[in-house]
Amino acid sequence: RASSFNTDAIVVASIDAAHRQVSIVALPRDTVNIPLANGLLYTGKVNSLYASYGIEGLRGALEATYGIDIDYYVLLDMSDFGRLITALGGVEINVPTRMIDGKIGLDLQAGLQRLDANDPLRYVRTRVDTDYGRAGRQQQMVVALVRQMIDPEEPIDLLEFAASLRSLETDLPLDKLPTLLEIGRRSADAHVVSQTLRPPRFALFEGIENGPRGWVMIPNLAEMRAYVQAVMGGE
């Protein structure tokens, strides 16, 4: 299914069989020249790929880019992200440094704190520390939310709540949610490896091109595949 919106946050996560390591990788939104599952090359920015090819096209492109299989996907818009935060009663985040972004009303002190209302959304949207800083904070937020959702003392009924999300699109077997939650709980103390696939290691070029694409990142596919397969396992 194609849509008109861009997917600015593209994150792949994996838990190893021993529940000892959680690996997370994020692909920058300005990445171009991404291989598709059919062998062709997508020359636009990766955040627009979903609008043209739908979720299966995006999943196939990520599989071809990383050389891994992606078992399940979850697609959620920012409005429902905010509803999730509200349902959980906020989220605990260690803010690394004071962050101020007057354009979106963000003013956070450094340190461990519980963010609620609109602050979590502002925290993952601001680009005061560049797109790469934002990608890192998005990964941090994913980890914090998952750890909170798998807490056995968390009062939220996840299955009921998931059914209420208007934008939620997933092929996760929701009837097996208790099993998935148990896997998450066994991984609660796992070491988290988080990486944004950014320059210099993962790019052949980053900058403004002469042409319509503007600011782009041309990926070093060999480095990306080597890294992702090292932390997640490959084909």
Side-chain angles (χ1 to χ4, degrees):
R1 179 178 68 86
S3 181
S4 59
F5 63 82
N6 290 338
T7 53
D8 281 350
I10 303 174
V11 176
V12 177
S14 174
I15 302 174
D16 72 355
H19 310 291
R20 294 175 182 169
Q21 178 170 301
V22 176
S23 303
I24 304 174
V25 294
L27 189 63
R29 63 176 185 165
D30 292 323
T31 306
V32 296
N33 299 353
I34 290 292
L36 298 173
N38 61 10
L40 299 176
L41 202 65
Y42 185 73
T43 58
K45 296 185 179 185
V46 69
N47 68 340
S48 66
L49 196 154
Y50 171 77
S52 298
Y53 291 93
I55 193 64
E56 289 302 332
L58 179 56
R59 170 157 54 184
L62 293 174
E63 289 179 333
T65 298
Y66 297 150
I68 62 171
D69 292 327
I70 297 175
D71 297 312
Y72 304 113
Y73 72 87
V74 177
L75 182 69
L76 199 67
D77 70 13
M78 286 299 182
S79 295
D80 278 337
F81 170 81
R83 293 186 185 97
L84 174 59
I85 298 291
T86 299
L88 291 170
V91 60
E92 192 171 79
I93 287 289
N94 188 12
V95 180
T97 185
R98 187 176 184 190
M99 304 193 71
I100 301 175
D101 186 345
K103 292 182 179 179
I104 61 173
L106 178 70
D107 187 350
L108 294 177
Q109 298 294 329
L112 186 64
Q113 54 197 289
R114 194 168 192 86
L115 304 184
D116 54 17
N118 292 318
D119 278 339
L121 187 56
R122 293 175 180 138
Y123 182 70
V124 298
R125 286 185 60 202
T126 182
R127 286 185 285 168
V128 293
D129 54 351
T130 76
D131 263 359
Y132 299 126
R134 178 170 69 169
R137 283 181 280 101
Q138 289 169 348
Q139 293 169 71
Q140 179 193 23
M141 182 67 72
V142 168
V143 172
L145 285 173
V146 170
R147 282 183 167 160
Q148 198 160 315
M149 286 188 292
I150 64 176
D151 185 343
E153 297 184 3
E154 180 60 52
I156 185 174
D157 184 330
L158 285 178
L159 189 59
E160 180 180 345
F161 180 72
S164 72
L165 297 176
R166 289 172 290 187
S167 72
L168 178 65
E169 183 180 334
T170 183
D171 61 352
L172 275 167
L174 295 182
D175 60 325
K176 297 181 181 179
L177 190 58
T179 301
L180 297 173
L181 286 174
E182 180 59 28
I183 292 173
R185 286 171 182 146
R186 291 182 183 182
S187 308
D189 296 323
H191 174 60
V192 177
V193 177
S194 181
Q195 177 69 58
T196 299
L197 301 176
R198 57 173 295 178
R201 177 179 176 184
F202 299 107
L204 300 175
F205 170 81
E206 181 192 43
I208 298 176
E209 286 187 325
N210 291 324
R213 297 193 298 187
W215 185 276
V216 300
M217 188 190 94
I218 297 177
N220 186 329
L221 293 175
E223 281 292 328
M224 285 186 176
R225 287 170 183 157
Y227 174 81
V228 172
Q229 291 179 25
V231 298
M232 294 186 176
E235 296 175 334

